[in-house]
Amino acid sequence: MKLNNIITIIFFSAIFLTLVSCDDWLTQKDLTGMNPSDTYSSDQGITSIVANLYSRLRYEQDFALDNESYDLTRWDEAVNNSQYWAFASNVGRDYRSYYDYGLIRDINLHLEELEKNAKSIPDDKLKYYKAEARYLRAFVYFTMVTRIGGVPLITETMGYVDDPLLLAKKRNKESEVYDFIVNEIDDIKNDLTVYSSTITQTRASKGSALALKSRAMLYAGSLAFNYDKSAAKGLNLPSGATGIEKSKANAYLEKCLEACQELDDMQYYALYQKDADLSLNYSKLFLNRTDNREIIFCKAYDGVNMFNYFTQRAIARSQTGVAKSGAQINPTLNLVNSYELLATREIKPMQAYVGEDAIELMTAKTSDKNYIIYDKPEDIFAGRDPRLAGTVLHAGSTFKNKPIDLQAGLAILEDDGTYTFKSAQSIEAISTANYEGIKMTGEDGPFRAGSSFWYISHSGFLLRKYVDTSTGSETKGNSSVPYIVFRYAEVLLNGAEAALLLNMNGVGSYNGKDTKTLSLDYINKVRKRAGGDEFKLNASELTFDRIINERKVELSFEDHRYYDLKRWRIADEIWEPNRDSETAVLYGLWPYKIYAPGKPVDGKWLYRKVKLEHRGSATDMGMPISFDRTMYYSTYPMNAGNLLVEMNPNH
């Protein structure tokens, strides 16, 4: 039997029983008794094949997997609630390495079968099916190139040969992979009109193709723009397998803008604007796909056939009933400090101390610091970008109409003006631990004492974004919140960055419009939705640092920051393993209620900025994140086991 026939049988038998999902187009029945010609004669057979291909797309934050949320805690947006933190000091070059030619082969085989056996499918549908498969293939190539650089471009299945080395393919240049992606999208985008009255969010569409083009061309353009940085860091191979020539930057950036403009020309996608409360509006946009035109492409869950465990892992401990778990994703002060003050547009750290900033160990029992005293715990966060409250839960927050119980302990004011800190000594003692009849530690933490303190916040913050508000969603994966792959706000920020980089590269206009003004228009759409008409930047304020910060806050926890810092070639600078680094060391902000009977400050609040344990032993505070230059590209698999091997390590 020929290799093609063997693979065809394996392919189909694996696919037909694979995926059941909440979207109607993915609903299947057992088709294993059918041969390829029968399968490709009907929409149901084809969508059974396609459902499997979609299920195999790589998302690092797959809400259906029971442990994927921990990847959110590897870098600087959050830490997890483990006593010993889950990861080694350096995740290494194998981190996120991805080389899936099994999936590429199956997509190529699907395309060939569509060509051979789908004769009875109407032409408009067949065009869509072919375009959809090419979109999926472009998506897989984009996923690979962002992790390991140039990979072999394979667009057809390979037959049996006596010498398997004849099938070996050298790596294409990194730029050639990006060129392939954009050329595929430009060729198929107009065939991705779904043959129904509603634009889909869960299947390939013209919108998702343009969003992929926007992101891919921004990545390629910024890599080319930063070619000199790459060279200085030793990241460019002579073959071009890694590194993109500087001369290509403008063309890629213009293609990014082209995609943004074409998406706008569809006059369908829009920022989510349903609630007058801007914080609530921001948090709601991630919870529901219905009537939400900001979502371009997502992975859907229903909590019944396709489980979503994210809420179960992230929700506050105080809202998990008898289970008393959750709180596994703890946002950091590093992120919280990035949200601007509305009145001044300053990116100013939270003010916990009078005069100079201070840093404390979470295990310290006493302090002579000069703290700013707050009447209510939420006062320290007043006047911030509404996206902060839409993303993070802090002391004084409510969720599902219940207060979040974040209190690290009591700050007992001594006669000499110093403070003594008291807190619960174990997770089991939280509900009963008190001082002079007053509760010491909130059920949601934070605290650091004894040997048992899981399922509470360690940073002083909990996550609101993506956490389901529906009843019962916190148990057994019963959440239906979608994982958003592409949304309109990201496309706007892609356009803002591309236009500004063009301006910095000396390109003054694009399609007759000033590039800096164009950048300002794109970013202000996002900022206006986030903070109102008065919350704008003028042209002189629009710097690349503001682009960096805007992406950090708008796209937090959406798996952009890791790739952004890499393509800007600053990841090893931001995450330099230096114990004195304000960006590599992670911090929390712990709230304490003051105990001072008979004094004006009694019952008020203070905050302590603490170093968090991270990637080290539980007794080693302030271990910095470690990203070195070898991690800009994940390990290229030299023995992938699929006959697509790299024969020359210099390529």
Side-chain angles (χ1 to χ4, degrees):
M1 185 179 290
K2 289 185 178 180
L3 184 62
N4 268 344
N5 292 336
I6 295 171
I7 291 178
T8 299
I9 293 170
I10 295 171
F11 174 54
F12 288 128
S13 62
I15 283 173
F16 295 141
L17 293 172
T18 300
L19 183 68
V20 179
S21 181
C22 50
D23 276 24
D24 292 341
W25 74 269
L26 289 174
T27 302
Q28 301 168 56
K29 66 178 182 179
D30 184 0
L31 303 174
T32 52
M34 298 173 65
N35 60 40
S37 60
D38 291 334
T39 301
Y40 280 89
S41 66
S42 69
D43 290 329
Q44 185 179 24
I46 292 171
T47 53
S48 291
I49 302 293
V50 172
N52 174 270
L53 300 177
Y54 277 96
S55 75
R56 293 159 63 190
L57 295 179
R58 176 69 170 266
Y59 306 122
E60 303 298 340
Q61 296 171 212
D62 190 339
F63 294 168
L65 301 179
D66 205 15
N67 60 353
E68 289 302 302
S69 65
Y70 279 117
D71 209 66
L72 291 171
T73 68
R74 286 186 186 268
W75 302 103
D76 62 1
E77 292 179 322
V79 293
N80 69 48
N81 72 345
S82 167
Q83 175 182 353
Y84 295 105
W85 308 124
F87 307 108
S89 60
N90 190 321
V91 293
R93 292 193 64 200
D94 288 334
Y95 179 62
R96 294 198 175 195
S97 187
Y98 178 65
Y99 191 83
D100 193 351
Y101 278 92
L103 181 52
I104 289 293
R105 179 180 175 81
D106 286 350
I107 294 172
N108 288 338
L109 183 57
H110 174 55
L111 279 163
E112 292 168 8
E113 294 294 348
L114 284 170
E115 192 67 43
K116 288 189 298 184
N117 291 310
K119 306 298 184 184
S120 62
I121 301 298
D123 286 346
D124 62 334
K125 288 187 178 182
L126 186 57
K127 280 184 179 180
Y128 174 80
Y129 288 141
K130 290 178 179 178
E132 176 182 43
R134 291 170 69 183
Y135 167 81
L136 291 172
R137 186 172 61 187
F139 189 98
V140 176
Y141 274 119
F142 175 71
T143 306
M144 288 197 285
V145 75
T146 56
R147 287 156 172 78
I148 60 178
V151 293
L153 286 168
I154 310 296
T155 58
E156 58 185 17
T157 58
M158 296 180 179
Y160 175 79
V161 294
D162 291 330
D163 182 1
L165 291 181
L166 295 174
L167 300 179
K169 299 290 183 179
K170 290 183 177 180
R171 297 173 71 176
N172 283 80
K173 293 181 177 180
E174 190 168 17
S175 60
E176 289 173 341
V177 179
Y178 281 107
D179 291 342
F180 173 80
I181 292 166
V182 71
N183 290 337
E184 284 287 279
I185 291 171
D186 285 343
D187 200 35
I188 66 173
K189 60 189 178 185
N190 291 323
D191 290 337
L192 286 173
T193 25
V194 179
Y195 38 85
S196 67
S197 59
T198 304
I199 292 182
T200 181
Q201 298 168 325
T202 60
R203 198 166 181 175
S205 66
K206 184 176 182 179
S208 63
L210 291 171
L212 175 58
K213 176 179 175 179
S214 162
R215 188 187 295 180
M217 292 299 94
L218 177 65
Y219 277 36
S222 59
L223 288 172
F225 183 88
N226 290 302
Y227 179 85
D228 291 341
K229 278 187 179 181
S230 296
K233 296 176 189 289
L235 304 178
N236 301 331
L237 287 175
S239 66
T242 60
I244 299 179
E245 304 95 308
K246 200 176 187 72
S247 61
K248 295 179 180 289
N250 290 350
Y252 285 134
L253 295 170
E254 288 176 354
K255 286 181 183 294
C256 174
L257 289 177
E258 181 180 86
C260 298
Q261 184 60 61
E262 194 167 353
L263 193 80
D264 276 343
D265 289 344
M266 292 178 66
Q267 297 185 343
Y268 178 84
Y269 297 103
L271 294 172
Y272 183 89
Q273 293 179 294
K274 305 286 186 183
D275 201 294
D277 182 327
L278 297 176
S279 295
L280 190 60
N281 183 75
Y282 181 77
S283 65
K284 279 184 175 180
L285 86 85
F286 299 97
L287 301 183
N288 197 329
R289 296 189 294 124
T290 304
D291 193 25
N292 187 346
R293 293 196 176 189
E294 182 159 345
I295 297 177
I296 300 173
F297 183 60
C298 69
K299 182 173 180 178
Y301 306 86
D302 65 358
V304 178
N305 298 303
M306 183 70 81
F307 294 110
N308 178 340
Y309 294 96
F310 190 83
T311 293
Q312 184 176 337
R313 296 189 297 268
I315 198 167
R317 181 177 186 269
S318 59
Q319 299 198 8
T320 57
V322 296
K324 299 303 180 191
S325 59
Q328 296 176 34
I329 302 168
N330 304 169
T332 61
L333 181 61
N334 306 54
L335 173 66
V336 170
N337 278 339
S338 301
Y339 292 85
E340 300 173 10
L341 287 165
L342 291 180
T344 62
R345 295 192 290 268
E346 292 177 280
I347 304 169
K348 191 174 182 179
M350 297 292 160
Q351 300 300 296
Y353 304 91
V354 176
E356 295 184 3
D357 193 22
I359 301 171
E360 303 183 54
L361 295 179
M362 60 175 70
T363 52
K365 300 296 185 184
T366 61
S367 173
D368 60 359
K369 302 289 189 297
N370 190 6
Y371 296 99
I372 297 175
I373 307 302
Y374 292 94
D375 291 336
K376 295 180 291 185
E378 62 267 31
D379 289 350
I380 191 174
F381 307 102
R384 295 277 170 169
D385 181 336
R387 287 173 292 189
L388 172 58
T391 303
V392 173
L393 296 171
H394 52 70
S397 294
T398 60
F399 186 74
K400 296 170 69 170
N401 298 316
K402 297 178 182 178
I404 297 299
D405 194 8
L406 285 164
Q407 178 183 331
L410 288 177
I412 300 170
L413 181 60
E414 305 292 355
D415 292 339
D416 62 359
T418 64
Y419 287 94
T420 298
F421 302 110
K422 291 189 178 295
S423 65
Q425 295 301 296
S426 70
I427 198 75
E428 296 83 6
I430 280 183
S431 60
T432 58
N434 67 83
Y435 179 80
E436 300 295 335
I438 299 174
K439 180 183 73 172
M440 290 196 293
T441 301
E443 188 174 355
D444 297 317
F447 73 96
R448 174 72 171 83
S451 60
S452 176
F453 44 94
W454 293 15
Y455 303 122
I456 57 167
S457 172
H458 283 193
S459 66
F461 303 106
L462 292 169
L463 192 64
R464 179 190 290 272
K465 190 170 181 176
Y466 277 125
V467 180
D468 202 337
T469 57
S470 60
T471 302
S473 59
E474 72 279 3
T475 59
K476 299 180 181 179
N478 293 338
S479 172
S480 60
V481 170
Y483 174 67
I484 300 172
V485 181
F486 296 115
R487 64 181 177 100
Y488 183 55
E490 182 215 335
V491 175
L492 293 175
L493 292 181
N494 293 346
E497 182 180 340
L500 187 61
L501 288 177
L502 283 170
N503 186 271
M504 294 167 65
N505 239 5
V507 179
S509 64
Y510 173 78
N511 278 354
K513 191 163 188 178
D514 177 77
T515 48
K516 194 155 190 179
T517 301
L518 183 60
S519 178
L520 187 66
D521 289 346
Y522 277 128
I523 199 171
N524 270 342
K525 287 181 181 179
V526 179
R527 292 173 61 82
K528 182 179 178 180
R529 189 270 297 275
D533 290 343
E534 74 286 357
F535 190 37
K536 294 181 179 179
L537 292 169
N538 60 48
S540 65
E541 288 178 314
L542 183 58
T543 64
F544 196 74
D545 284 341
R546 300 309 291 248
I547 293 282
I548 290 175
N549 199 75
E550 196 67 25
R551 289 184 70 90
K552 184 177 181 180
V553 299
E554 174 67 30
L555 305 175
S556 61
F557 301 105
E558 297 179 54
D559 205 29
H560 289 279
R561 183 156 171 79
Y562 176 73
Y563 296 103
D564 283 347
L565 294 189
K566 286 209 308 175
R567 64 185 175 83
W568 295 328
R569 297 311 197 218
I570 59 174
D572 63 316
E573 300 163 21
I574 298 295
W575 295 327
E576 178 189 10
N578 182 340
R579 287 178 178 269
D580 295 322
S581 170
E582 279 288 321
T583 54
V585 175
L586 301 183
Y587 301 95
L589 193 67
W590 283 18
Y592 288 81
K593 191 172 185 178
I594 299 172
Y595 179 80
K599 297 180 181 179
V601 297
D602 185 50
K604 296 187 178 183
W605 294 78
L606 62 81
Y607 282 86
R608 301 169 66 210
K609 179 180 178 181
V610 299
K611 285 187 177 183
L612 298 175
E613 305 155 352
H614 191 70
R615 295 172 168 87
S617 73
T619 58
D620 194 359
M621 311 297 179
M623 283 289 290
I625 296 173
S626 178
F627 183 104
D628 64 44
R629 295 179 186 182
T630 66
M631 295 171 64
Y632 276 102
Y633 291 97
S634 302
T635 302
Y636 188 86
M638 303 299 289
N639 296 301
N642 55 18
L643 304 184
L644 296 171
V645 295
E646 174 55 61
M647 301 307 297
N648 185 341
N650 294 320
H651 287 271

